[in-house]
Amino acid sequence: FPVTIPENVSALMVTTNQGVFAVDPRDLSVGRALLKSGQYGLDEVDRIVELVGPKGKVLFVGTHVGAIAIPVAKAVDQVVAVEANPNTFQLLEYNKRLNDCENLELLELAAGEVNGEIEFLLNTANSGGSKRMPSVKKINYFHDNPEVVKVKLRVLDEELKSAFDLILMDIEGSEYFALKGMNRLLSSANNLIVEFIPDHLRNVSSVTPDEFVRLIEPYFNYLYIPSLDIRVLKQDFSKKLNEMYAANISDNGIVFSK
């Protein structure tokens, strides 16, 4: 993106085929994609809308600036969007207003297993990679000198009273902790889309694939892995995810279904 951005510019506005978005000009991932190509995650938007239909209710846990949540909100009945990064949350609020998404409810918090506070990294080069303080402090989590702040941590089963047809989670290694506080929400959801990154399991949450999938198995019978284009039955969840873990294979959103 061959333009020098003044330090006092906190956001750029871009019109895309997914909506109008205020993005952080320093963000080299989602923000850069929206600025350069005018789109991000369209396959995921289509997958979500196809799974829930126009009357569906969707919960996003880890929403970033809303590049996926906002076009989904335009196509379904209700969306609740959780975002922990206070800087990104401000952009998300702007984007809700820019796109007139009255059926989009925003919550500024981190999802976890207890109520309280956690230390949180505010990454800049990839603001979508912001995360709770990792258990293993690898250099790649700190390469852009992220600010460390405290953010509100909440149990989603207590915070949210609604049921959702689909839950999407992309919280950079905090998925394990969030899932521990979501038994009621998981039991009523027909689908769960969750990021699977072995590096995050090892170094952010420090759990095994077995520990991770143990929180999901009681509620879902099938697993689809888009990056491998394979479907897996409940009895093979752990086997397949352990294989991916051992081979260091990631997927932006594996899909569990009833």
Side-chain angles (χ1 to χ4, degrees), residues 126 128-132 170-175 195 197 200 204:
N126 175 13
S130 300
K131 59 178 63 63
R132 69 160 57 210
D170 180 358
I171 46 178
E172 302 299 310
S174 287
E175 290 83 4
E195 185 178 54
I197 298 182
H200 288 167
V204 178

Side-chain angles (χ1 to χ4, degrees), residues 44-54 58 71-73 75-76 166:
E44 195 157 14
V45 172
D46 291 341
R47 182 178 297 120
I48 293 166
V49 173
E50 182 179 353
L51 284 170
V52 303
V58 180
V72 168
V76 304
L166 184 147

Side-chain angles (χ1 to χ4, degrees), residues 34-109:
L34 289 171
L35 287 167
K36 289 191 72 174
S37 66
Q39 62 182 42
Y40 178 83
L42 289 180
D43 289 347
E44 195 157 14
V45 172
D46 291 341
R47 182 178 297 120
I48 293 166
V49 173
E50 182 179 353
L51 284 170
V52 303
K55 299 295 185 182
K57 297 183 178 182
V58 180
L59 170 63
F60 284 84
V61 186
T63 313
H64 198 241
V65 299
I68 294 175
I70 283 172
V72 168
K74 293 177 180 179
V76 304
D77 186 60
Q78 179 187 3
V79 171
V80 174
V82 174
E83 175 57 42
N85 183 329
N87 299 333
T88 305
F89 187 83
Q90 185 177 55
L91 294 174
L92 180 60
E93 287 185 308
Y94 293 157
N95 293 335
K96 173 183 174 176
R97 293 197 292 270
L98 286 168
N99 292 278
D100 297 320
C101 288
E102 294 188 4
N103 64 332
L104 174 61
E105 178 184 354
L106 307 182
L107 298 174
E108 185 180 357
L109 55 88

Side-chain angles (χ1 to χ4, degrees), residues 47 190-196 209 212-213 216-217 219-244 251-258:
R47 182 178 297 120
N190 293 319
N191 296 278
L192 168 69
I193 301 177
V194 59
E195 185 178 54
F196 183 82
F212 172 75
V213 80
I216 298 171
E217 266 180 338
Y219 308 105
F220 301 98
N221 297 310
Y222 307 98
L223 167 62
Y224 174 60
I225 304 172
S227 60
L228 303 177
D229 194 23
I230 60 172
R231 301 182 188 277
V232 181
L233 297 176
K234 181 197 285 272
Q235 61 264 31
D236 295 319
F237 285 179
S238 285
K239 178 183 176 182
K240 177 49 66 177
L241 293 181
N242 271 290
E243 289 174 358
M244 292 175 65
D251 192 296
N252 289 335
I254 58 177
V255 185
F256 293 92
S257 60
K258 289 282 197 281

